[in-house]
Amino acid sequence: KNEVEQSPQNLTAQEGEFITINCSYSVGISALHWLQQHPGGGIVSLFMLSSGKKKHGRLIATINIQEKHSSLHITASHPRDSAVYICAAANTGNQFYFGTGTSLTVIP
Amino acid sequence: DAGVIQSPRHEVTEMGQEVTLRCKPISGHNSLFWYRQTMMRGLELLIYFNNNVPIDDSGMPEDRFSAKMPNASFSTLKIQPSEPRDSAVYFCASTPRTAVVTEAFFGQGTRLTVV
């Protein structure tokens, strides 16, 4: 069993739609990270959160520590949001346990 | 700062050859991580260093893999001999502190193809 489970694995949306990607984890964590990986492979850190909610532009990340669950939301999705989104649970040593990623395609 | 720098970006080698991947972390970062990404297994931690010292190498697949960090600004991941199943993208990441959970900064990755 993976320590971090993401859903859905693949997601196709029309431009403008509201998107939600879910992440559940079974390990004890110090923080939950959301990463973005574009075609071409570079990985960028979007959010690091240990409680509550964070917002950056059209992206919102939430976490429920008790339920060991986090969500990444994208409002007013755009084709440039097309990427793989990866959830990663980090322990106190900054070791990451990765989800398998959600491949998002936003169609114009 | 230019971020985490990995080289080469792409490497194609024949089975049995030695491969060396290089990483320069962000200046001042204390921790360095090597990850491998494949279609089948996604991202996996191979090894990480704190203050140049290897802390956990349990993710290193086998003895053919070795990693070193001779100083705070440079690390290598070596595969000898390489095999086709080692084909993957290898990422290096660094973080600024060891005692506090922080954001990780990733390099652009090295795409390794072993034929």
Side-chain angles (χ1 to χ4, degrees), chain A residues 12-63:
Chain A
T12 301
Q14 289 291 133
E15 183 173 356
E17 284 186 6
F18 181 84
I19 289 164
T20 296
I21 300 170
N22 294 302
C23 174
S24 296
Y25 54 92
S26 58
V27 294
I29 67 167
S30 294
L32 193 289
H33 296 249
W34 282 100
L35 311 172
Q36 181 191 56
Q37 186 173 28
H38 275 285
I43 296 176
V44 174
S45 178
L46 296 175
F47 293 104
M48 182 191 73
L49 63 164
S50 53
S51 66
K53 179 168 87 172
K54 286 190 176 180
K55 184 175 188 294
H56 184 252
R58 295 179 295 104
L59 273 60
I60 303 167
T62 64
I63 189 168

Side-chain angles (χ1 to χ4, degrees), chain B residues 54-115:
Chain B
I55 302 301
D56 184 353
D57 65 354
S58 59
M60 297 284 262
E62 48 197 272
D63 291 346
R64 297 184 297 107
F65 286 68
S66 62
K68 294 182 180 180
M69 192 165 185
N71 57 63
S73 59
F74 183 66
S75 177
T76 59
L77 177 67
K78 186 177 293 186
I79 308 172
Q80 166 64 18
S82 58
E83 297 182 3
R85 60 193 167 117
D86 302 330
S87 298
V89 181
Y90 292 80
F91 287 98
C92 175
S94 68
T95 61
R97 290 186 291 276
T98 56
V100 177
V101 179
T102 65
E103 181 181 350
F105 298 83
F106 287 79
Q108 288 295 302
T110 295
R111 182 173 296 276
L112 172 65
T113 303
V114 183
V115 298

Side-chain angles (χ1 to χ4, degrees), chain B residues 1 25-31 72 95-97:
Chain B
D1 199 310
I26 292 174
S27 177
H29 282 194
N30 301 91
S31 298
T95 61
R97 290 186 291 276

